[in-house]
Amino acid sequence: MIIYFDTSSGISGDMILGALVDAGVPLEKLKKELSKLPMRGYELESRKVKRAGFLATKIEVILKTGVRSQKSEVRRWKDIERIIKKSSLPNIVKQKGLSIFRRLFEAEAKVHGERVDKVHLHELGAVDCIVDIFGALIGLDILGVKKIYASPLNLGSGMIKTEHGILPVPAPATLELLKYIPVYSSDTKFELTTPTGAVLISSLADGFGQMPVMSVSKIGIGAGGRDFKTHPNVLRVFVGEGQGSGVRGQGVTIIETNIDDMNPQVYEYVMERLFKAGALDVFLTQVIMKKDRPGIVLTVLCSADKKEGLIKIILKETTSIGVRFYEADRITLQREIKTVKTEFGNVRVKISKLGNEILKSAPEYEDCKKIAEKLNKPLIEVMKKSDRALIV
């Protein structure tokens, strides 16, 4: 199951919750799971509203006194960490929540020049922020979502009033959280993407771009806090099964550099370091450079958030004095690994699928190599029979 977030009117924590509930997450089940967090004194309210003609679900966190909790409390990292660790939520949800909140605190600390353990989240640190983040994680889990994609993020424009005074949109922490992610600014004089929305989508999304090829089974519309006349202030989500060859518009960063003066023995070490640092692929291409010198083009494919670290490795570990990089889209088949039984033993096989149809398969080389060496069998025989075992 995959989900696509249409963020043409921005994204915030409450909009995400509203869209997930609208897409079929039972509100009572969501409340029950959220009650596993050691927090009391709030209620989760859901109602239908209209935004420029769109019927949408609006979710609000209300203090039992009837006052919105958004600015009622401030919390530091140790406070959030304690709440999460004391909860009875599944461990995987706890770990995701800890990671997301840590990024939030680190972004706030960086833009305000403070230590992570000293910074407090102002309007982000209250009960509703915790509910929004964990509500989103729980809601995605209830829907059975395995992959998350989103459109480029609309940040809005204008100014916003914060604890630090009047600041331009996007807020500094929001922009810090959205490094290397495709964003744009419309002429709407309002903060459309909030720090909570930014940290959630940037932490969870597998890619940004056009809507993936999918069979949509559920649609959810979450309402924002304003009702603009020019366009609906809503977040739409599409839930369904992925179809076709892959995700259209899945972004990838390509880094390249030309090298003609390095000991070839170094390439193996450099490639190993790049893969460990998160490169999706690394390869070498032989070229003829100026003055007819033979050279190598080192090419690295990566997600945008890994670009900076990988460039540093290239510049430190090779003789290159500069790199070039650019963004590209790619389409990939759905891939998975299955273990098959063969007459030689178990072998992992890589499978590439188009929908439910298997288009390609290849036995894991290292598995076949170990079997061939152990049994003194020809490697090509082991590989052929392993591939055939999948079909059988």
Side-chain angles (χ1 to χ4, degrees):
M1 192 72 70
I2 67 174
I3 189 169
Y4 181 73
F5 286 81
D6 171 12
T7 65
S8 56
S9 192
I11 186 169
S12 63
D14 60 323
M15 291 171 80
I16 294 174
L17 271 189
L20 294 178
V21 169
D22 203 61
V25 173
L27 184 63
E28 291 307 312
K29 187 171 183 180
L30 184 61
K31 289 179 179 179
K32 182 179 178 181
E33 290 300 306
L34 284 170
S35 70
K36 295 177 180 179
L37 286 161
M39 296 192 311
R40 299 294 179 266
Y42 76 92
E43 292 180 356
L44 204 60
E45 182 183 276
S46 173
R47 68 181 191 276
K48 292 290 186 179
V49 298
K50 280 194 175 182
R51 294 288 184 263
F54 271 73
L55 185 64
T57 297
K58 184 76 176 80
I59 297 288
E60 286 188 290
V61 180
I62 307 293
L63 288 179
K64 287 190 175 178
T65 57
V67 180
R68 277 278 288 157
S69 65
Q70 188 174 357
K71 297 185 181 180
S72 62
E73 296 184 56
V74 294
R75 286 193 169 96
R76 290 181 167 81
W77 166 244
K78 64 179 181 180
D79 303 317
I80 301 292
E81 187 179 32
R82 181 168 54 249
I83 289 172
I84 297 172
K85 288 186 175 180
K86 282 186 176 181
S87 76
S88 57
L89 289 165
N91 190 56
I92 188 170
V93 175
K94 287 186 184 182
Q95 293 307 314
K96 285 182 180 179
L98 283 168
S99 175
I100 289 170
F101 267 107
R102 182 70 185 186
R103 286 192 65 222
L104 202 52
F105 275 92
E106 288 175 347
E108 286 282 342
K110 184 173 182 178
V111 299
H112 297 304
E114 299 181 31
R115 285 167 42 190
V116 172
D117 60 340
K118 295 296 183 182
V119 72
H120 58 278
L121 294 182
H122 301 295
E123 57 264 45
L124 287 173
V127 173
D128 57 343
C129 180
I130 301 170
V131 171
D132 286 346
I133 287 176
F134 277 94
L137 294 175
I138 292 165
L140 290 167
D141 184 61
I142 290 173
L143 290 175
V145 172
K146 302 301 181 185
K147 291 283 185 179
I148 299 170
Y149 302 100
S151 65
L153 306 180
N154 187 353
L155 302 178
S157 62
M159 310 296 286
I160 181 174
K161 186 177 181 180
T162 75
E163 295 286 339
H164 298 284
I166 305 297
L167 298 176
V169 172
T174 300
L175 201 55
E176 179 66 26
L177 289 162
L178 296 179
K179 280 183 175 178
Y180 310 116
I181 288 174
V183 299
Y184 66 98
S185 179
S186 68
D187 59 0
T188 303
K189 302 298 182 183
F190 189 70
E191 181 187 41
L192 296 181
T193 296
T194 68
T196 308
V199 74
L200 274 165
I201 199 65
S202 63
S203 299
L204 299 175
D206 295 282
F208 294 84
Q210 298 178 19
M211 185 176 174
V213 179
M214 62 186 294
S215 174
V216 177
S217 57
K218 297 176 182 177
I219 301 169
I221 304 177
R226 298 292 184 94
D227 188 8
F228 304 127
K229 293 182 179 179
T230 56
H231 67 278
N233 182 211
V234 299
L235 172 71
R236 294 193 299 169
V237 298
F238 309 100
V239 185
E241 296 293 339
Q243 300 291 324
S245 57
V247 178
R248 193 182 304 164
Q250 182 182 0
V252 63
T253 299
I254 300 175
I255 307 168
E256 294 179 340
T257 186
N258 294 7
I259 302 172
D260 65 359
D261 58 349
M262 190 170 80
N263 184 337
Q265 292 176 313
V266 178
Y267 285 112
E268 179 185 12
Y269 176 76
V270 173
M271 294 174 76
E272 186 177 301
R273 284 212 59 194
L274 290 168
F275 276 120
K276 285 183 177 179
L280 299 172
D281 199 5
V282 183
F283 54 91
L284 308 175
T285 306
Q286 291 184 324
V287 294
I288 300 298
M289 299 174 63
K290 62 184 178 181
K291 297 182 180 179
D292 293 331
R293 287 200 303 261
I296 293 291
V297 177
L298 170 64
T299 304
V300 180
L301 272 61
C302 66
S303 56
D305 62 312
K306 302 291 184 182
K307 178 179 70 177
E308 189 173 336
L310 294 170
I311 289 175
K312 286 180 180 178
I313 291 174
I314 293 171
L315 295 177
K316 287 181 179 180
E317 297 287 355
T318 74
T319 57
S320 171
I321 59 173
V323 303
R324 56 189 173 273
F325 57 85
Y326 51 93
E327 306 302 318
D329 287 343
R330 68 171 186 168
I331 293 176
T332 60
L333 292 173
Q334 302 160 356
R335 287 169 287 184
E336 62 181 274
I337 294 180
K338 284 190 176 181
T339 299
V340 300
K341 291 183 178 180
T342 75
E343 60 184 271
F344 306 123
N346 291 340
V347 176
R348 289 172 297 168
V349 177
K350 296 176 184 177
I351 300 169
S352 298
K353 300 169 69 176
L354 182 66
N356 294 321
E357 181 185 1
I358 297 176
L359 292 187
K360 300 176 178 69
S361 64
E364 187 68 42
Y365 170 76
E366 291 297 334
D367 288 4
C368 294
K369 179 183 174 183
K370 288 179 182 178
I371 291 174
E373 290 175 343
K374 181 180 178 180
L375 301 180
N376 195 27
K377 294 281 187 180
L379 177 59
I380 57 173
E381 180 185 346
V382 176
M383 295 179 74
K384 285 181 180 178
K385 291 191 176 180
S386 298
D387 203 16
R388 196 177 301 136
L390 176 67
I391 301 173
V392 174

